[in-house]
Amino acid sequence: MDPYDTPESTPRHGASSRLKGYFIGATPLRKRLESVRKQASFVPTPPRRKIPQCSQLQEDNDPQKFAFLLHKQWTLYSLTPLYKFSYTNLKEYSRLLSAFIAAEKQKGLAVEVGEDFNIKVTFSTLLGMKGTQRDPEAFLVQILSKSQLPSENRGQKVLWTGWFCCVFGDSLLETVPEDFTCVPLFLANGAETNTAIVGTWFQETFDCHFSSLAINAFNLSWMAAMWTACKMDQYMATTEFLWSVPCSPQSLDISYAIHPEDAKALWDSVHKTPGEVTQEEVDLFMDCLYSHFHRHFKIHLSATRLVRVSTSVASAHTDGKIKILCHKYLIGILAYLTELAIFQID
Amino acid sequence: MDETVAEFIKRTILKIPMTEMMTILKAWDFLPENQLQTVNFRQRKESLVQDLVLLCESKRASLRDAALLDIICEDVDLFDMERFKSSFEKILRRALKNVTVSFRDAEENAVWIRIAWGTQYRKPNQYKPVYVVYYSQTPYAFTSFCHLKSNTPLLSQALTVASNHHKIVKMDLRSRYLDSLKAIVFKQYNQKFETHNSTMPLQETLELDMHMDSRIIHENKIEKERVQRVTQETFGDYPQPRLEFAQYKLETKFRSDFHGGILAERKEPLRCLIKFSSPHLLEALKSLAPAGIADAPLSPLLTCIPNKGMNYFKIRDK
């Protein structure tokens, strides 16, 4: 696996090895491309990463604080830096966004039957959700509905949640001027219409831009390896991979679930460098899984498309959806996603 | 009555199972109803048979009557649809007061049964019925998914007893298409006729392409032909029965020629669960080798599905 391949040029695991063969015949061209890429300011995906550990910052915090973020499916977006965003104006932003949403809904642009228009928007900071002190504070936006019925208690139901964060975002922070706040990773849970409305308000207010953050097979493999490498006291879920096979006329999905202890045993057998995960180890880990499968079924999984990986730590889908299952490695997971988001912005 | 006739009648009646005794005697219609009522059917079989033979003697049964009894015994061995239905319903009702059972006769000696389950206190839920299709001339029945798993043993028992079998076994074969399941278990999918010319049409097609533009060469032509041939041999020319998934529970050790050393000391197998899903699984599998995604021949674990009539497997190291 060539570490300088950009994710966009390797949508399929198998395709990249074919591309590689093609370039071997065009060595001078390739050398020129490489030097151009090195001069550009983007960060190529590194050949090694640290295994997520409990970060110092997070250990000080009550695990319950972020419990509401676990076990939910989040849709991922990358976000360009916000212009003139201020953490002291959060109350003001709540008010403005609230009014904006009410106006949009009355316009009839996003009417959900039966929904009462009595909604409230809250902005709050999520302290401790960062990698280094340099990272800006993460913050949370929620749309709540106030119950109209007197019979229900005056409790508020959360309709939509979105949070913005930056975990180990140094590479972006270094390049950005003062008036900008960098929170490149945005995660949303709730109705798409609400995500669109909130997104529009942010774009108009802070001159920023949201893009869907897809996760390609290459990064899914990395996530699977890294999350398998995490030390777990207890395994809550089986380790599972989902491949989509590009055959016609019928589609075929292959789900490969492996007992988490066996996945860990395989990883431990592959893993050589303490504290780190290398490209070779990720490739070998996946290769072993492919080889075990091929031995039984004579099918080359490497020629198909990896679409989803799921472990006791977290699960991720190629469409840019993630579910975090373990608070212990929250920061590590966010660090990887921040890296992907920053890569997409550049 | 002749000694031999008496002996013949005695042996014939002895062969009749107690559950069918009354039915057969009534069908025979030799001993009148009022006489049958004087007989104690609860006594031991040998004693009952003796009483019945005595009655036959008193009515002077002939060899012809005895032969008729024999035919009726054979006939009842053949399936009696009405008896099956009443027996099936009776067994369910005896166990569960609140149950709705309906029947519809279908083609080919098949009966469709609809069962709506209730509980002791609740009326049957008509929106979640279970359907059973029983082919009386075969030892197969097909059931739809049952939400209340607790009723499955009762359903199995009713089917077994009413159809006069002594055991029911659940097959590891599931699909949304009843016709496909039928095709597989009744082995109706294989319409292939052996011909020596089966490879000829394929070669002709390739030949034609070459004539269209001689600058185009099919790379790997020999290998591609081999793959096509092997695929055709494995799957046949006919449309595949339609299944949606196959599931494999694997408990096998990791072994690889290229990854020597990995998990070498580990004695335990890798516990894996592999599931293939597709709108038309067998057609999808058939297309894998020609597409270069799989080797040809494909693994027997996959190709055996229609033959074995299974799509749930447990595989262990031997």
Side-chain angles (χ1 to χ4, degrees):
Chain A
M1 227 38 245
D2 184 351
Y4 295 113
D5 282 345
T6 61
E8 281 78 47
S9 70
T10 54
R12 287 158 198 258
H13 211 78
S16 69
S17 45
R18 274 191 274 129
L19 276 173
K20 198 172 173 183
Y22 204 82
F23 274 120
I24 284 171
T27 323
L29 177 64
R30 190 184 185 200
K31 281 215 160 81
R32 270 193 281 138
L33 281 173
E34 274 184 16
S35 67
V36 166
R37 281 173 183 169
K38 277 184 186 157
Q39 284 161 24
S41 58
F42 73 76
V43 179
T45 43
R48 56 185 65 235
R49 284 190 173 85
K50 288 216 158 21
I51 294 177
Q53 305 288 336
C54 259
S55 82
Q56 185 59 45
L57 286 165
Q58 203 195 348
E59 265 174 28
D60 300 335
N61 287 310
D62 177 18
Q64 282 307 309
K65 198 158 82 151
F66 300 136
F68 72 101
L69 299 171
L70 303 182
H71 302 287
K72 277 201 182 67
Q73 182 170 281
W74 300 101
T75 307
L76 302 172
Y77 299 85
S78 67
L79 178 59
T80 58
L82 307 174
Y83 183 61
K84 291 222 158 81
F85 174 91
S86 168
Y87 288 91
T88 55
N89 286 349
L90 295 184
K91 263 212 169 65
E92 175 77 358
Y93 297 150
S94 308
R95 206 180 47 80
L96 290 170
L97 181 52
S98 206
F100 184 79
I101 293 173
E104 289 294 308
K105 300 232 157 145
Q106 281 190 352
K107 261 196 246 173
L109 286 175
V111 178
E112 273 147 52
V113 180
E115 187 181 288
D116 71 73
F117 287 0
N118 218 349
I119 54 131
K120 189 172 111 162
V121 174
T122 59
F123 274 66
S124 50
T125 45
L126 288 166
L127 292 171
M129 189 172 286
K130 45 159 77 174
T132 65
Q133 288 295 3
R134 257 190 93 176
D135 288 327
E137 295 296 340
F139 63 93
L140 178 78
V141 178
Q142 284 189 310
I143 301 176
L144 308 132
S145 83
K146 283 187 283 202
S147 169
Q148 294 272 6
L149 300 170
S151 56
E152 287 174 29
N153 65 16
R154 290 272 161 181
Q156 295 165 340
K157 198 171 92 164
V158 176
L159 294 177
W160 181 94
T161 310
W163 42 300
F164 301 74
C165 64
C166 179
V167 180
F168 292 107
D170 285 333
S171 58
L172 183 64
L173 296 167
E174 280 162 12
T175 64
V176 152
E178 263 206 41
D179 288 332
F180 287 87
T181 308
C182 292
V183 276
L185 184 62
F186 172 60
L187 306 95
N189 171 277
E192 273 265 347
T193 48
N194 287 330
T195 308
I197 293 175
V198 173
T200 309
W201 183 80
F202 267 85
Q203 286 180 161
E204 286 176 6
T205 314
F206 303 110
D207 199 22
C208 60
H209 180 66
F210 288 86
S211 304
S212 290
L213 185 65
I215 308 172
N216 64 16
F218 176 72
N219 285 307
L220 286 175
S221 304
W222 263 93
M223 287 178 185
M226 287 205 302
W227 297 340
T228 303
C230 291
K231 253 205 213 58
M232 297 286 284
D233 302 320
Q234 252 187 318
Y235 287 108
M236 295 293 127
T238 192
T239 302
E240 189 178 336
F241 299 80
L242 182 66
W243 280 273
S244 171
V245 181
C247 59
S248 67
Q250 302 293 347
S251 67
L252 176 64
D253 287 332
I254 301 175
S255 145
Y256 187 166
I258 177 169
H259 195 287
E261 286 166 7
D262 297 340
K264 188 69 164 51
L266 177 61
W267 172 258
D268 288 340
S269 192
V270 161
H271 185 48
K272 297 285 177 283
T273 49
E276 278 189 333
V277 175
T278 66
Q279 184 69 65
E280 288 84 21
E281 288 167 354
V282 175
D283 289 342
L284 185 54
F285 178 66
M286 293 306 291
D287 243 9
C288 287
L289 291 171
Y290 293 151
S291 146
H292 187 67
F293 188 90
H294 182 268
R295 183 162 80 84
H296 293 89
F297 299 103
K298 299 281 179 274
I299 295 175
H300 302 283
L301 281 175
S302 50
T304 66
R305 194 167 76 103
L306 181 58
V307 157
R308 184 171 182 267
V309 299
S310 181
T311 66
S312 294
V313 171
S315 72
H317 190 284
T318 196
D319 290 343
K321 299 217 188 311
I322 191 148
K323 209 184 246 190
I324 304 166
L325 303 168
C326 178
H327 78 276
K328 232 170 115 180
Y329 298 106
L330 180 60
I331 296 298
I333 296 164
L334 294 176
Y336 194 132
L337 295 174
T338 305
E339 194 186 312
L340 293 181
I342 292 174
F343 192 91
Q344 185 165 284
I345 294 169
D346 283 339
Chain B
M1 195 163 79
D2 200 325
E3 277 268 339
T4 49
V5 174
E7 183 63 26
F8 183 45
I9 291 180
K10 177 172 156 221
R11 289 199 192 182
T12 311
I13 298 180
L14 265 174
K15 274 196 298 185
I16 303 172
M18 285 305 288
T19 47
E20 270 148 54
M21 191 65 75
M22 222 13 165
T23 323
I24 291 180
L25 291 174
K26 282 195 184 150
W28 189 31
D29 206 18
F30 178 74
L31 298 169
E33 185 88 35
N34 49 11
Q35 267 201 317
L36 284 176
Q37 279 179 5
T38 63
V39 177
N40 176 13
F41 280 85
R42 289 188 200 282
Q43 60 186 315
R44 264 176 51 242
K45 200 171 182 184
E46 289 86 15
S47 324
L48 169 66
V49 170
Q50 268 183 344
D51 287 351
L52 288 170
V53 170
L54 280 173
L55 280 179
C56 292
E57 272 186 352
S58 68
K59 284 208 78 182
R60 294 181 209 283
S62 67
L63 186 57
R64 233 175 128 211
D65 298 314
L68 191 59
L69 176 63
D70 192 32
I71 291 183
I72 289 167
C73 288
E74 287 302 309
D75 195 19
V76 175
D77 266 354
L78 299 174
F79 189 73
D80 182 343
M81 185 60 86
E82 293 314 310
R83 212 182 47 78
F84 166 79
K85 288 183 204 173
S86 78
S87 176
F88 182 85
E89 182 161 2
K90 216 187 315 181
I91 294 168
L92 289 185
R93 284 206 185 286
R94 223 183 297 156
L96 210 57
K97 193 174 56 159
N98 284 321
V99 64
T100 314
V101 185
S102 328
F103 300 94
R104 187 171 84 89
D105 290 335
E107 77 317 325
E108 296 168 24
N109 299 303
V111 58
W112 278 69
I113 312 171
R114 178 185 177 279
I115 305 143
W117 301 103
T119 67
Q120 213 183 358
Y121 306 107
R122 264 183 286 158
K123 281 206 163 3
N125 181 351
Q126 301 298 339
Y127 297 97
K128 289 201 175 141
V130 170
Y131 298 95
V132 178
V133 184
Y134 174 48
Y135 283 83
S136 56
Q137 299 299 326
T138 76
Y140 291 103
F142 305 87
T143 71
S144 69
F145 176 69
C146 188
H147 290 267
L148 283 168
K149 290 272 187 322
S150 53
N151 288 320
T152 314
L154 175 60
L155 178 59
S156 306
Q157 189 196 21
L159 270 172
T160 318
V161 174
S163 64
N164 252 336
H165 290 89
H166 76 277
K167 196 168 83 141
I168 188 166
V169 171
K170 191 165 98 149
M171 286 174 71
D172 289 321
L173 182 63
R174 286 168 232 181
S175 168
R176 249 182 226 160
Y177 299 92
L178 179 59
D179 287 335
S180 295
L181 292 177
K182 275 165 59 184
I184 292 172
V185 298
F186 300 151
K187 302 254 185 273
Q188 285 167 348
Y189 57 90
N190 192 342
Q191 306 289 330
K192 194 160 79 127
F193 295 100
E194 295 286 339
T195 85
H196 292 289
N197 293 331
S198 56
T199 55
M200 286 298 278
L202 179 63
Q203 283 174 350
E204 270 170 22
T205 319
L206 284 175
E207 284 294 328
L208 248 136
D209 285 348
M210 279 187 70
H211 285 140
M212 284 178 53
D213 189 335
S214 56
R215 290 171 298 177
I216 298 174
I217 303 168
H218 287 275
E219 65 176 67
N220 258 349
K221 183 170 155 197
I222 296 172
E223 176 61 15
K224 281 207 175 117
E225 281 174 15
R226 185 195 74 86
V227 168
Q228 284 283 27
R229 189 173 32 88
V230 170
T231 304
Q232 205 157 321
E233 278 167 19
T234 327
F235 287 90
D237 267 330
Y238 42 83
Q240 303 293 315
R242 200 162 174 175
L243 292 172
E244 303 80 41
F245 50 86
Q247 186 173 293
Y248 297 80
K249 194 166 171 193
L250 299 178
E251 273 175 37
T252 52
K253 273 194 71 171
F254 179 78
R255 266 194 290 269
S256 171
D257 297 327
F258 302 105
H259 307 105
I262 303 286
L263 289 179
E265 286 106 44
R266 190 175 158 98
K267 294 197 192 64
E268 296 91 350
L270 295 181
R271 291 160 284 179
C272 302
L273 186 68
I274 311 238
K275 195 167 170 186
F276 294 85
S277 336
S278 167
H280 200 323
L281 179 67
L282 295 175
E283 286 293 337
L285 291 177
K286 187 175 170 184
S287 68
L288 290 181
I293 297 169
D295 299 339
L298 202 58
S299 161
L301 285 180
L302 294 167
T303 55
C304 75
I305 293 171
N307 262 328
K308 281 202 175 160
M310 284 171 82
N311 59 359
Y312 280 75
F313 299 84
K314 284 195 174 75
I315 313 286
R316 283 203 177 90
D317 283 325
K318 290 198 177 61

